Amino acid sequence: MPVEIRTRILMHLDPLSLVRAARVCRSWRAAVMDESMWRSLLQRFQFPFPLSSRSVGASNSNRQQFRDCYELDRNWRTGRCTTHTLDHDTQGTITCLALDRDYIFTAGEDKVVKVWSATSHKVLHRMEGHAGGVWALQYENNWLVSGSTDRTLRVWDVRTGKCLNELLGHSSTVRCLQIQGDLVVSGSRDSTLRVWNLKTGRCERTLRGHTDSVRCVEVHSGVIVSGSYDATLRSWDLKTGELIAQMNGHKDRIYCLAYDGRRAASGSQDHTVRVWNPISGECIHVLEGQSSNLVALVQLRGDILVSGNADSSILVWDIATGKLKYDFEYDRIHKNTHAGAVTCLQFDEYKMFSGSDDGCLKMWDMKTGRFIRNVLSKRAGEVVNDIVWRLQFDATKLVAAYQSNQSSDSSVIVMDFDVDGRWTADASAQTPQATISDTV
C-alpha cells in the first residue's frame, strides 16, 4: 500500500485503534509515530484546555502533546483524579470562591478571606479586617479585592496577606465587584456603583441612576453593565461615568448578568432571560422556558448562553438565534438532573459542571447536552445534608465549596485531574488491553 494512502487511512482512526495498528508491523509503526499524524489528531480533537507546563515538561512533540491532552480529557470524563479537602474549619456559608494557577481563594460569612496554595492545599494567609461577611471577591492582574456587608472593599497583597487599601464610600453592603486593569467597579445595596483606583485607593467616580440594590456588574472594553433589583440594566462609560443606555423590559428583580463586550444577558425573578445590545439598549431576545420565577445564574461563552434556575433546570441557548439548544429532557426522564435549585455552574466548549442545594455536583457534555457523571452525590436513600454553593474549574482542577445543613460547617474539595502516570484504556474482551502511552 502506498505510504500516502496508508497515512490518510490512519488519520481517520481513533487513538486506541492507532495503538493497535502500530503493532501490525514496523512500517505501520513508523507511520503511526510520524509527527504529522499526531498534529492532525490534535487539530481534529481540538481539546478545550492548554497544556500545563508540568504535564508537558520539556517535550514539544505532537505525540507528547496529544497524549497529555487525551489522558487529561479522559480523566475529567471518568473521574480519575486526586482529591484533597481543604482544612477550612469554618462555620457559615462560603459565599466566594476563586481559582488561579497558584492559588485558591475563599471567603464567606465568617468575615475572613483565605488564600490557599493550589499545589500543597495549605492555607497561606488568613486575611482579617472586614467587620461583616464577604459577598464579593475577585483576583485579577495580581489584585485581590473583597467586598463586604460592612460597606467596604479591601485590596489585599496575596504574597504577604496584608491589606493594601480599605475603600470607603458605600453606605450599604457591597454586593458585587469587577476588576478592570487598575480599576475596580463595585455595586452596592445603596443603589450606586463606584469606580475605584486600586493603586491609590481613591474613588474616581460614583454612578447614580438605579433606584434599588445593584446586584451584579460586568466590565468589558471600557463599558460597565449593571443589573439591579429595580428591574433595569444600565450601561455606563468606564472613563467618564456617563450613562450609555438604560435597558427596560424585566418585570421583576434582576439577579444575574453576563456580558462579553458585545452582548449582555440578564436573568430575573420574572422567569425570563433577556439578551441586550448594551450600547443601543435594544432587547435582542427574550428567552423563556424556566418554570420557576427565578433565574439565578447566567453564563455566556461565544453564542452559547447557559441559565441555572431555582426550578432545578439548566437551559442552554443559542443567542445568535434565540433558540433553546438543550433542556436536558432526556436526563430528567432518566433522573439525572438536579432535584433542587441550581446554585452554581461553569462551562467551556466541551463540558459543564453544575451544583445544587440537592447536594449534587454534576458533569454534562456541552456538545450533546447529555449527562456524563455525578462528581459529588448522595447515596441512595440518604437524606440530603449538603448544599453545593460554589464551584470553579480550570484546565486541570475542579474546586467546589459545600455546606452541611445540619452543622452549618463548610468544606472545600479540590480535585486534580492532571496526568502523572499511565492507565489501561477500555478495550473489548476480544482484544489485548492497550494504552495511548504504549505508542505515544
Side-chain angles (χ1 to χ4, degrees):
M1 180 185 296
V3 175
E4 294 80 5
I5 296 176
R6 181 175 59 202
T7 302
R8 284 185 175 274
I9 292 173
L10 291 174
M11 283 183 175
H12 291 283
L13 296 181
D14 64 87
L16 291 182
S17 296
L18 280 174
V19 171
R20 298 183 184 110
R23 295 173 176 172
V24 172
C25 61
R26 290 181 179 179
S27 62
W28 280 67
R29 178 174 177 82
V32 169
M33 294 292 284
D34 188 89
E35 281 290 289
S36 63
M37 177 76 63
W38 299 99
R39 183 168 59 250
S40 174
L41 281 171
L42 279 169
Q43 294 169 352
R44 177 150 62 94
F45 275 72
Q46 294 183 332
F47 292 105
F49 35 72
L51 293 170
S52 69
S53 57
R54 187 162 72 91
S55 66
V56 177
S59 172
N60 290 317
S61 74
N62 291 312
R63 294 195 306 276
Q64 179 70 37
Q65 290 184 34
F66 183 87
R67 189 192 74 175
D68 290 333
C69 284
Y70 183 87
E71 294 189 346
L72 180 56
D73 184 64
R74 188 167 59 175
N75 274 349
W76 278 103
R77 291 178 176 274
T78 62
R80 184 181 176 89
C81 65
T82 57
T83 301
H84 307 272
T85 300
L86 302 187
D87 185 18
H88 206 271
D89 63 12
T90 298
Q91 285 196 326
T93 303
I94 296 174
T95 56
C96 303
L97 175 67
L99 174 62
D100 179 69
R101 185 187 66 179
D102 299 317
Y103 305 110
I104 299 168
F105 305 93
T106 60
E109 293 178 333
D110 66 350
K111 312 172 189 176
V112 180
V113 177
K114 294 181 182 179
V115 182
W116 308 79
S117 167
T119 52
S120 71
H121 310 107
K122 301 296 184 182
V123 64
L124 301 177
H125 303 294
R126 290 174 52 93
M127 299 186 290
E128 302 183 32
H130 280 299
V134 179
W135 283 92
L137 182 75
Q138 188 181 8
Y139 179 66
E140 189 75 27
N141 301 326
N142 294 318
W143 296 108
L144 178 64
V145 184
S146 56
S148 169
T149 59
D150 67 7
R151 303 172 293 179
T152 72
L153 291 89
R154 285 179 176 260
V155 184
W156 307 91
D157 187 325
V158 173
R159 294 167 298 178
T160 66
K162 302 297 184 182
C163 182
L164 300 175
N165 267 312
E166 183 180 19
L167 311 183
L168 304 171
H170 283 298
S171 60
S172 189
T173 295
V174 178
R175 194 63 184 82
C176 52
L177 62 88
Q178 184 79 40
I179 297 171
Q180 179 79 8
D182 291 331
L183 301 174
V184 63
V185 181
S186 59
S188 168
R189 286 179 178 165
D190 65 11
S191 78
T192 69
L193 295 104
R194 287 177 177 259
V195 180
W196 310 84
N197 186 307
L198 288 168
K199 291 182 176 179
T200 65
R202 186 179 66 185
C203 180
E204 300 283 347
R205 57 195 65 88
T206 302
L207 313 182
R208 305 182 189 276
H210 284 299
T211 58
D212 207 335
S213 174
V214 178
R215 175 61 187 247
C216 41
V217 64
E218 293 278 346
V219 185
H220 282 285
S221 306
V223 176
I224 304 167
V225 179
S226 57
S228 169
Y229 281 176
D230 67 10
T232 71
L233 215 65
R234 291 173 184 251
S235 57
W236 317 77
D237 187 298
L238 177 63
K239 289 184 178 180
T240 66
E242 293 181 356
L243 180 68
I244 297 172
Q246 178 175 323
M247 289 155 270
N248 300 305
H250 281 298
K251 304 297 191 296
D252 211 329
R253 294 177 170 184
I254 293 173
Y255 271 81
C256 51
L257 163 67
Y259 174 45
D260 65 0
R262 294 189 300 125
R263 299 155 300 189
S266 54
S268 168
Q269 199 168 354
D270 66 6
H271 79 263
T272 69
V273 176
R274 287 177 177 259
V275 182
W276 310 85
N277 180 325
I279 304 304
S280 68
E282 174 193 4
C283 181
I284 303 169
H285 298 297
V286 179
L287 311 179
E288 299 179 276
Q290 299 78 208
S291 60
S292 121
N293 64 340
L294 175 59
V295 179
L297 303 159
V298 289
Q299 285 195 9
L300 179 61
R301 189 184 183 97
D303 285 334
I304 301 300
L305 173 74
V306 178
S307 66
N309 311 297
D311 63 3
S312 79
S313 68
I314 301 171
L315 302 180
V316 181
W317 307 85
D318 182 340
I319 61 169
T321 63
K323 301 297 184 181
L324 184 65
K325 189 175 176 70
Y326 306 128
D327 66 358
F328 303 105
E329 180 179 1
Y330 173 90
D331 291 297
R332 278 199 296 275
I333 294 171
H334 290 80
K335 299 182 179 179
N336 289 326
T337 52
H338 286 294
V342 179
T343 53
C344 51
L345 63 84
Q346 184 182 344
F347 73 97
D348 62 22
E349 297 97 324
Y350 284 75
K351 60 187 178 293
M352 174 173 64
F353 292 92
S354 60
S356 168
D357 64 10
D358 65 3
C360 294
L361 176 59
K362 294 176 179 287
M363 182 178 182
W364 310 87
D365 190 316
M366 286 299 292
K367 293 297 184 183
T368 65
R370 295 292 179 86
F371 171 80
I372 297 176
R373 64 185 179 91
N374 281 312
V375 182
L376 298 173
S377 64
K378 66 184 183 69
R379 291 180 290 272
E382 184 180 39
V383 177
V384 177
N385 291 322
D386 295 333
I387 300 174
V388 181
W389 280 118
R390 293 289 182 268
L391 71 86
Q392 288 278 294
F393 72 84
D394 62 13
T396 61
K397 289 184 179 64
L398 171 66
V399 184
Y402 59 97
Q403 180 181 17
S404 168
N405 274 333
Q406 290 184 331
S407 65
S408 296
D409 290 338
S410 291
S411 300
V412 178
I413 188 169
V414 182
M415 302 176 198
D416 190 343
F417 298 88
D418 195 8
V419 178
D420 290 324
R422 301 178 178 183
W423 70 97
T424 302
D426 291 335
S428 67
Q430 289 76 28
T431 58
Q433 291 183 329
T435 69
I436 295 301
S437 301
D438 287 343
T439 295
V440 300

